[in-house]
Amino acid sequence: MSSAADLAFASTPDTDERLNARLFDRYRNTLDVPVAWNETLDTLIAHRSVRAYLPQALPVGTVELLVAAAQSAASSSNLQPWSVVAVEDPARKARLASLAGDQKQIHQAPLFLLWLVDLNRLDRIGEALATPADGLRYLESFLLGAVDTSLAAQSAVVALESIGLGSCYIGAIRNKPAEVAAELNLPPNVFALFGLTVGYPDPGRPASVKPRLPQEAVLFRETYGADDNAHHVAAYDRRLRSFQREQAMVERDWSEQASQRVRGAHLALSGRHELRDILHGLGFGLE
Amino acid sequence: MSSAADLAFASTPDTDERLNARLFDRYRNTLDVPVAWNETLDTLIAHRSVRAYLPQALPVGTVELLVAAAQSAASSSNLQPWSVVAVEDPARKARLASLAGDQKQIHQAPLFLLWLVDLNRLDRIGEALATPADGLRYLESFLLGAVDTSLAAQSAVVALESIGLGSCYIGAIRNKPAEVAAELNLPPNVFALFGLTVGYPDPGRPASVKPRLPQEAVLFRETYGADDNAHHVAAYDRRLRSFQREQAMVERDWSEQASQRVRGAHLALSGRHELRDILHGLGFGLE
């Protein structure tokens, strides 16, 4: 399970070589970026989702540190339209897991953070000041909340990785938003956008860096231009297959896997085709 | 304009003291987090939005490095539903600025990144494989795209700060989504979620760390409970006023400022009340 980067770490003292090795792991191809390595870049580019945790307790103050990192991310007009619930009670984690595809890492991680789009706080402030917060009724406000919540959570993820912890986003918490809202006692206009499991990675079951699409497929200059899209996707399918072989995973084209994932049926099965109606039920206007 | 953190940096060699000073800047209050300082935490907690840039060119490879950091962020089911357009042409930056409230930093920054929710790539893959991507028609798919785009951009922001650059998110790019789509030549099912100006911060006009709500207002344990919300908001209003005084800004309660921002009128004025219809026009189903 050792990666190209880990080998490079052992064999070369040159930190720029380390960055190149990290980039090779990410793309399964060389990417020449003449920038000096630093610890933060290393943390970012070596990111992996961790789904196997040790039972070890987290350091005292971890939650507060992650929330400080999260609150330090940008916020549109400084509206700060999010909150977070830190769940550590095993029984509550188990109930939340059963609402989110029963993923084992929710049971296993000592900490499960629920990241909430929270328009309720602004709504109540508006009430208190007799300034009705009608702007919150629009899809734009929900979207702004989702963006800010995501920026915040991602800064928390980088922070936790910098102190040796691992995490995994749990989008499946959106399978049953009303039930999740009831479990967490959410007021109106608050929505659990995603969960995040947090813990010490189990070194016996290490996670791997997932290769991504070639930059040519996602990065454009001046205007959008994706004429060579099929070519880049085919290259990625091949590179991901070589990764899957290494990992002793079933070999499968990414393009086939992704297209199956966005067929109507899967969304319908996991309940998320009803999201718009459920959000209305939770109080969001989405006008 | 020197901050508490900068003073602490000068006077104490102890790195944990540096973390405490950073946290004090962020909250204008002590927050005891017994975690060892590291460079990444320092970068994260010292984040500030930079709106004044030097004309200095960016290091060769900056865009590629930022995109590598962005692609290293988690992606739901590895769908990678985003793209980014790097704009450096001054004339195009000027046209985009005029669509986004004519913010001067868009003209000034040498690089303007447009972060796109991109469901088009998946749509075309589905076509090629004769697997119609009907799941993309749902609000859930747009939301999943917006979340992944935001996680990616935030990792790019942390990366650029780690090499001494600064940035500012430009949500106002959503004021005129159809016009922005035309300028960037976006195909159907692609939406510019936000912009990001990138450049070297002008040391003559340094940006400050913006204080945030006390953690008690946004962090809950086990279940949501915001009974003391008014109390925490009042404390924040006071702390933000002391920050405004220091910055020679007009003093104004955050609660009043935020509630004015989410009145219907402001949203209506900047055009974002029409977002849902405009997204439909761009091809998004939002069912």
Side-chain angles (χ1 to χ4, degrees), chain A residues 27 71 78 118 212 224 272, chain B residues 27 71 78 118 212 224:
Chain A
Y27 293 108
Q71 290 191 273
N78 197 28
D118 187 345
R212 297 287 195 222
Y224 192 100
R272 298 195 216 169
Chain B
Y27 293 108
Q71 289 191 273
N78 196 28
D118 187 346
R212 297 287 194 223
Y224 191 101

Side-chain angles (χ1 to χ4, degrees), chain B residues 42-109:
Chain B
D42 196 69
T43 298
L44 288 166
I45 296 174
H47 165 79
R48 55 206 83 186
S49 292
V50 171
R51 294 182 176 81
Y53 298 99
L54 297 177
Q56 197 179 334
L58 302 179
V60 173
T62 296
V63 172
E64 289 77 5
L65 178 70
L66 301 189
V67 171
Q71 289 191 273
S72 299
S75 172
S76 186
S77 302
N78 196 28
L79 290 176
Q80 305 179 62
W82 60 269
S83 294
V84 61
V85 178
V87 173
E88 297 176 277
D89 174 27
R92 181 167 289 106
K93 273 195 295 155
R95 291 194 297 275
L96 289 167
S98 76
L99 298 173
D102 215 29
Q103 295 178 46
K104 70 171 185 339
Q105 65 260 35
I106 302 175
H107 297 271
Q108 207 180 46

Side-chain angles (χ1 to χ4, degrees), chain B residues 117-152:
Chain B
V117 176
D118 187 346
L119 304 184
N120 180 273
R121 187 165 47 238
L122 291 167
D123 212 14
R124 285 191 294 157
I125 290 170
E127 270 173 35
L129 297 179
T131 308
D134 294 338
L136 299 179
R137 287 199 324 255
Y138 294 94
L139 176 62
E140 157 65 16
S141 293
F142 176 72
L143 181 62
L144 184 152
V147 168
D148 274 14
T149 305
S150 303
L151 302 183

Side-chain angles (χ1 to χ4, degrees), chain A residues 27 71 73 78 84 86 88 92 118 121 135 140 154-155 174 184 212 218 220 222 224 254 262 272, chain B residues 27 71 73 78 84 86 88 92 118 135 140 154-155 174 184 212 215 217-218 220 222 224 254 262 272:
Chain A
Y27 293 108
Q71 290 191 273
N78 197 28
V84 61
E88 297 176 278
R92 180 167 288 105
D118 187 345
R121 186 166 45 237
E140 158 65 16
Q154 184 61 8
S155 277
R174 293 198 300 277
L184 298 175
R212 297 287 195 222
V218 305
F220 307 110
E222 299 299 332
Y224 192 100
W254 174 79
V262 297
R272 298 195 216 169
Chain B
Y27 293 108
Q71 289 191 273
N78 196 28
V84 61
E88 297 176 277
R92 181 167 289 106
D118 187 346
E140 157 65 16
Q154 184 61 8
S155 278
R174 293 198 299 276
L184 299 175
R212 297 287 194 223
Q215 289 209 344
V218 305
F220 306 111
E222 299 300 331
Y224 191 101
W254 173 79
V262 297
R272 299 195 214 169

Side-chain angles (χ1 to χ4, degrees), chain A:
Chain A
M1 300 286 277
S2 71
S3 68
D6 293 333
L7 293 172
F9 273 23
S11 62
T12 75
D14 181 345
T15 56
D16 295 352
E17 284 303 306
R18 285 170 66 161
L19 183 58
N20 284 335
R22 290 292 192 205
L23 291 168
F24 187 87
D25 263 11
R26 181 60 69 199
Y27 293 108
R28 299 270 150 166
N29 198 16
T30 52
L31 178 74
D32 188 31
V33 175
V35 173
W37 179 95
N38 67 48
E39 175 190 296
T40 303
L41 294 176
D42 197 70
T43 298
L44 288 166
I45 297 175
H47 164 80
R48 54 207 82 187
S49 293
V50 172
R51 294 181 176 83
Y53 299 98
L54 296 177
Q56 198 179 333
L58 302 179
V60 172
T62 297
V63 171
E64 289 78 5
L65 178 71
L66 302 189
V67 172
Q71 290 191 273
S72 298
S75 172
S76 187
S77 302
N78 197 28
L79 290 176
Q80 306 180 61
W82 61 268
S83 294
V84 61
V85 178
V87 173
E88 297 176 278
D89 173 27
R92 180 167 288 105
K93 276 196 293 154
R95 291 194 297 274
L96 289 167
S98 75
L99 297 173
D102 214 29
Q103 295 178 46
K104 71 172 181 342
Q105 65 259 37
I106 303 175
H107 297 271
Q108 206 179 45
L111 174 64
F112 188 38
L113 295 175
L114 285 302
W115 295 90
L116 313 173
V117 176
D118 187 345
L119 304 184
N120 180 272
R121 186 166 45 237
L122 291 167
D123 212 16
R124 285 191 293 159
I125 290 170
E127 271 174 36
L129 297 179
T131 308
D134 293 339
L136 299 178
R137 285 199 325 253
Y138 294 94
L139 177 61
E140 158 65 16
S141 293
F142 176 72
L143 182 61
L144 185 152
V147 167
D148 274 14
T149 305
S150 303
L151 302 183
Q154 184 61 8
S155 277
V157 164
V158 179
L160 69 88
E161 291 180 351
S162 83
I163 59 167
L165 298 172
S167 67
C168 184
Y169 283 102
I170 307 291
I173 206 74
R174 293 198 300 277
N175 292 356
K176 302 273 183 197
E179 289 82 348
V180 168
E183 176 63 42
L184 298 175
N185 197 27
L186 302 186
N189 291 311
V190 181
F191 168 65
L193 185 59
F194 44 72
L196 187 77
T197 54
V198 181
Y200 282 104
D202 180 350
R205 289 179 291 167
S208 298
V209 167
K210 181 79 71 76
R212 297 287 195 222
L213 284 164
Q215 289 208 344
E216 294 82 354
V218 305
L219 167 62
F220 307 110
R221 298 285 182 166
E222 299 299 332
T223 57
Y224 192 100
D227 296 343
D228 296 331
N229 190 63
H231 174 73
H232 300 311
V233 168
Y236 182 55
D237 282 342
R238 286 192 302 275
R239 288 172 199 157
L240 204 56
R241 276 178 178 266
S242 88
F243 168 80
Q244 291 161 340
R245 268 196 301 278
E246 266 180 46
Q247 300 285 317
M249 292 164 70
V250 179
E251 272 189 59
R252 195 177 169 197
D253 280 343
W254 174 79
S255 53
E256 194 262 332
Q257 206 164 353
S259 63
Q260 290 297 329
R261 171 65 179 73
V262 297
R263 294 184 80 148
H266 179 96
L267 275 173
L269 282 174
S270 58
R272 298 195 216 169
H273 64 298
E274 295 176 351
L275 182 63
R276 194 180 55 177
D277 290 344
I278 292 171
L279 284 170
H280 281 142
L282 293 174
F284 291 92
L286 309 179
E287 279 175 29

